[in-house]
Structures are given as structure tokens and as C-alpha cells.
Amino acid sequence: MTLAAPAEAVGTGQAPDKAAGAAAPSASARGIVGAFETRPGRVLLILSVWAMICLGAMVLLFVVWRLTPPGTLGSVTPNDFSAFWAAGRMALEAGPVATLNPATLAPVQLYEPATGGREHYFPFLYPPAWLVTSLPLGALSYAVAYPLFVVLSFLGFMAACTLIAPPGALARRRTTFAMLAGGALLMFAQVYAGQLTLLWTAALIASLALAERGRPVAAGLVLGLCSIKPTLCLLLPIAVIASGDRRYIASASVSVILVAALPTLWTGPEYWSAWLGALAEQSDRAGNNIESLRGMLSWYAVLRDLGIDQPAATAMHALVTLTAAVAVGIAWWRAGIPFAARAGLLLIAIPFASPYAWYYELAVVFAGMLYLGRAGWGRSPVSWVLFLIVWALGGFLPFLSSIIEFRYLMAPLVTVAFIAALAQTGLIGQRAARLLG
């Protein structure tokens, strides 16, 4: 089986997704993406992009302004990027293994707002490749490194989303995908978190685009970069193997080995054993502290909050992971499923399957929705509500966690998105496809 898909099916019909120069189907036939390609839709996109850029700039300026003094040790924003920056700075001073030790890393992340001192600690739980990548960030002052990382992540994600458009698509259509990403208020949560998810998703989209364009070796090499965030990689081997393309499988395997081995030459093999120990400690810490699961969107977090003990919740969530794995395997193995539909299913299934998916993983779900939209998804009211919740509200819901139980909303939301992806691939019945398609 080759990775390049047959002509794109739109929804449950058979109208092809037109390339450059061909007559395009109507906006209503193309679902969500088509609606935003109309004149009113493009005006809304322009306004949304402008609002997101202004809002993001205000947030970054506020963050830099309140650092006291700017860029010095002990002056960071309490978010995930503080772990990247602190690890990059401390790795050269105290050694790579020291970055996994809370006693070493926590003092660098001490956040002291003007209103009074308050300690926050974000652990660094990444393999050697991301530690090596964090070294240049740690060499900069925090006041420079944080905005730089956020802007590059934002632009990289927008650029990657242009690749979601079908091969040969007009530049106008590629721009629509970029603007849908850039104008999503979902990005506000990414600015706040300073997480790796946007860059990770961009790498996965690039790999999928190369695979679709008949370049499986390059696709596999890029896919190996995704191994820097292992918690989101559960389903990637299944999709690659199910595709049946030996070149994709081989190049991805080689890339994963190189991404792991080359940085280990600097960190030393002892980093891996220390990393596994830190992962186990963090898993126990998170599993036994329900409050620490507040920002998660997985069913595991819901089950734990309902009082189910950690082993039972883990076992029950394994059924969710198995369901996602089977669906992805069938979609990537079965011939005749449009590439955009199977790519959308993979992206949405990734956070659905992961027990430790956090609120910023909604960016992966959103990218999956863009793929589904390319395949014609978004003709039912339910699909529009689902899309708009993620696109417009996903960036703010995490900040309402003190008012609402975030996970009780997001776990069902991601589940509905997963079912919608199943409908778009034809793995479930026509009735669900009409309701969610």
C-alpha cells in the first residue's frame, strides 16, 4: 500500500477535492473550510488573526514587563517554558542529569511577582534531544527566550497548516488553512503555556504532507523528530506500520534511533535511566494529586476525579487507547479512505488516546479538524459547534478551571471529535456521519 491517497472524498460523497485550476465545489459542499473561503468568512479570518496577534503581543509584553529584574535567575513566568529554559541553562552548569532533579531545577524557576513571593515548579521530563535543543534557549535571557520561542512556535504552526491543503492547491486555499490556525483563539492557551505542542504538531503535519506527496523517506525522517515528546507518540508507529510503506517505516525507524542516539553522545546513557525514574515519580505524583490533573483533557483525569483509584483508572483508560489504536490501524491500512480523513483521525486520536493529554493538546485536535474540514467535514450544526468551541473557546477554557471542571467538558468534547473523525473515514454508520459530518 502506498501512502499517497486516492482522490479526496468530500464527506460521505465522492466529489474530489479540487487541485489548482479545477472547478471547486461550493462552499457548503466543502464544509467548514469552504465556509471560510467565502468573502464574509475571509473577513472574519482576517479580524481573528489580527485579534490573536494583538492579544498575544499584549500578553508577551505583560510577561516581559513584570519580570523583576528582567531575564535574571529567579525571574520567570510559571509555565512549561520555564522548565525548558531552566534546563537549558542548568545543563551546562550542573550536567544533563541534574535537569531532572527538582532540587537543582526548582531554584532557577522561582517566580517572585511584585505582590509577593510564591514558588512554582515545572519538571523537565524530556529525552536528550529536547534538552540539547533547549541549550540555546537557556543561553538567552528569559525575557528574550520566552517571546522568541512563542513566536517561532506560532509561525511554525501556521506555516505547517498551509501543508494541510491538498497537493497542488491554489495559494489562496493554503492561506486559508494558515489563517484558520493563526486566528484561532486556541493559540492564546499556547502562548500562556509556552509548551512544545505547536512545534510537535507542525513536525507531524510536515511528515504527513511529505507522505501524501509521495516522499515517504523524507516523511519518515521528519516523523522521527516527534519522538522528542513521547507521550503523544503512542499511535504514530501504528499508523506508519499500517500504511504498509516499507520506505516510510524504515526511514522513520532510522530517524527515531538517530534522534535518540546522537544527543546521548553528549548527555551520556545515564540520562535515560534518570529520565525513566523521573517519569515514574511524576506519574505517581500526578496520579495521587487530583488537583494536579485539573488541566488534563483525558478520561483518565475524569476517572481519577470521580474517585477511582490510579491502577483501575489506568486500566480503564487503556480501553480508550486500544479503541483509538484499532481505529487508526484500520484507517491507515484500508485502501480507499481519503488521506485527509485518515490524517485527521490520527491527529484527533492522539490526545484522545493519551492518558496525560493536557489542555494545550487541543492544538493537535484542531489540526485534525482542519484535515477533516479539507475532506468536507463541517456540514452539520453539531460539527460547527464542535469546531467553534475548540477554535474560539479552547484558548480560554483552561483559565476557567477554578469555576468549571475543565476535564469534564474537554474529555467528552475530544471524544465527540474522535467519533466525527471515525464518521469521516467511514468506519461508523451513515447516521453518525450525517449528525457529526
Side-chain angles (χ1 to χ4, degrees):
M1 176 182 176
T2 59
L3 283 168
E8 296 283 302
V10 179
T12 57
Q14 297 300 320
D17 192 358
K18 302 297 183 181
S26 66
S28 60
R30 290 196 313 225
I32 283 173
V33 174
F36 281 105
E37 288 177 334
T38 62
R39 177 169 293 182
R42 296 192 74 82
V43 171
L44 175 61
L45 280 183
I46 292 172
L47 294 176
S48 299
V49 171
W50 179 247
M52 182 58 219
I53 291 175
C54 292
L55 182 61
M58 290 174 59
V59 171
L60 290 177
L61 287 174
F62 174 73
V63 167
V64 173
W65 169 76
R66 73 175 182 173
L67 296 180
T68 53
T72 61
L73 294 179
S75 179
V76 302
T77 300
N79 63 6
D80 290 277
F81 180 77
S82 66
F84 304 158
W85 176 79
R89 173 154 294 203
M90 294 301 298
L92 294 176
E93 300 178 7
V97 176
T99 61
L100 303 172
N101 186 354
T104 305
L105 202 63
V108 186
Q109 296 180 40
L110 181 61
Y111 170 58
E112 296 179 311
T115 55
R118 188 160 57 109
E119 292 190 9
H120 295 264
Y121 173 67
F122 286 77
F124 185 83
L125 300 170
Y126 291 84
W130 186 241
L131 177 60
V132 172
T133 307
S134 299
L135 294 177
L137 297 173
L140 301 172
S141 69
Y142 184 85
V144 173
Y146 178 38
L148 179 64
F149 178 79
V150 168
V151 170
L152 290 179
S153 299
F154 180 74
L155 294 178
F157 184 72
M158 284 186 65
C161 286
T162 65
L163 302 175
I164 295 178
L170 293 170
R172 181 182 179 88
R173 188 145 208 238
R174 295 196 298 270
T175 303
T176 299
F177 284 96
M179 294 177 68
L180 277 167
L185 294 180
L186 168 70
M187 296 297 106
F188 182 68
Q190 308 297 322
V191 172
Y192 171 80
Q195 242 288 337
L196 182 57
T197 303
L198 288 182
L199 291 177
W200 186 92
T201 309
L204 179 54
I205 293 172
S207 176
L208 292 171
L210 289 168
E212 184 180 18
R213 287 156 175 77
R215 301 177 61 185
V217 174
L221 293 176
V222 174
L223 187 67
L225 299 177
C226 293
S227 61
I228 61 176
K229 193 173 174 68
T231 55
L232 295 182
C233 292
L234 295 175
L235 302 182
L236 295 186
I238 295 173
V240 173
I241 294 172
S243 73
D245 193 310
R246 295 179 180 178
R247 293 172 296 172
Y248 196 23
I249 297 170
S251 61
S253 301
V254 170
S255 181
V256 169
I257 293 172
L258 291 177
V259 169
L262 293 180
T264 305
L265 296 177
W266 176 70
T267 63
E270 62 275 6
Y271 182 91
W272 287 101
S273 58
W275 175 66
L276 292 173
L279 284 180
E281 291 178 5
Q282 178 62 17
S283 177
D284 290 339
R285 187 182 304 114
N288 293 319
N289 182 6
I290 303 301
E291 286 298 315
S292 68
L293 306 180
R294 185 176 292 274
M296 286 187 179
L297 50 80
S298 68
W299 283 109
Y300 168 78
V302 172
L303 294 171
R304 290 290 292 121
D305 193 58
L306 290 174
I308 298 175
D309 60 48
Q310 188 172 1
T314 301
M316 294 171 70
H317 193 278
L319 297 176
V320 175
T321 304
L322 179 61
T323 301
V326 171
V328 168
I330 293 174
W332 281 77
W333 169 77
R334 181 180 293 178
I337 295 178
F339 189 90
R342 71 167 66 133
L345 173 62
L346 173 63
L347 282 158
I348 293 173
I350 285 172
F352 174 69
S354 175
Y356 290 101
W358 293 80
Y359 65 89
Y360 38 76
E361 259 79 73
L362 277 179
V364 188
V365 175
F366 178 72
M369 288 181 171
L370 293 185
Y371 263 113
L372 295 184
R374 167 187 148 182
W377 176 74
R379 294 177 294 169
S380 72
V382 174
S383 63
W384 269 97
V385 170
L386 181 65
F387 178 82
L388 291 176
I389 288 176
V390 174
W391 187 60
L393 299 180
F396 298 101
L397 287 174
F399 306 105
L400 302 176
S401 59
S402 59
I403 303 174
I404 62 174
E405 288 294 340
F406 173 76
R407 50 188 170 267
Y408 286 108
L409 173 64
M410 299 315 297
L413 184 70
V414 175
T415 303
V416 173
F418 175 71
I419 297 172
L422 291 178
Q424 198 67 33
T425 55
L427 297 182
I428 59 177
Q430 292 293 319
R431 182 175 299 181
R434 287 193 296 269
L435 177 63
L436 300 173

